[in-house]
Amino acid sequence: MQYLYRDGDDFVFMDTASYEQHHVPSAVAGEAAHYLTEGAMALVPLYEGNPIAVELPASVVLRVTQTDPGVKGDRVSGALKPATLETGLVVQVPLFLEEGDLVKVDTRTGDYLTREK
C-alpha cells in the first residue's frame, strides 16, 4: 500500500490495486511512523478489514532537515552528530553531512547507513 497522508492520529494508506483507502491508527503504525513520507510504499496486512501492522522495507531514504554544520577537517575522524530528518526522526550521522542531504536509514535499527545522491 502507498502512504498518502496523516489524518489526526491516523495514517492513511491506499491499496494501489483497488484504490481503497485504509486509516491506520498511530498505535498500529508504531515505530514505522518515524520512516513514513508521502508516497512511500509499505505492507499493511489486514485482518477482517482492519489494519494490524505496518511493515516497511529494510531501509528508506530521507532528507536531513536540521543538523549542525560540519567543521573543515572532520571528514575523516569518524565522529557522529545528531541530524533531524524530514519525518522528525533524529539519527546520528557523519560530520560531513549537511541540511538537505539524502540519507539511507535502516528501518529495523534506526541507524544511518549511507548518503544518497
Side-chain angles (χ1 to χ4, degrees):
M1 288 191 191
Q2 182 179 26
Y3 172 64
L4 298 177
Y5 59 92
R6 187 154 188 177
D7 183 18
D9 286 337
D10 291 350
F11 296 87
V12 181
F13 287 85
M14 178 183 65
D15 184 331
T16 55
S18 68
Y19 300 106
E20 182 179 356
Q21 293 185 7
H22 298 276
H23 287 254
V24 178
S26 58
V28 173
E31 292 296 314
H34 297 296
Y35 306 99
L36 290 172
T37 57
E38 291 182 12
M41 298 301 289
L43 293 173
V44 181
L46 302 174
Y47 177 73
E48 295 182 356
N50 296 317
I52 57 172
V54 175
E55 299 174 15
L56 297 172
S59 63
V60 295
V61 176
L62 299 170
R63 185 171 305 281
V64 175
T65 57
Q66 193 282 321
T67 191
D68 295 331
V71 178
K72 190 170 185 174
D74 281 340
R75 296 181 183 271
V76 183
S77 68
L80 300 174
K81 64 180 179 180
T84 304
L85 306 180
E86 61 187 295
T87 60
L89 179 67
V90 177
V91 298
Q92 295 294 316
V93 298
L95 296 174
F96 61 83
L97 286 173
E98 300 175 357
E99 291 180 12
D101 285 346
L102 295 174
V103 294
K104 185 181 280 190
V105 179
D106 188 321
T107 58
R108 298 163 296 188
T109 63
D111 293 337
Y112 163 85
L113 296 174
T114 185
R115 179 170 65 174
E116 293 289 308
K117 297 284 178 184

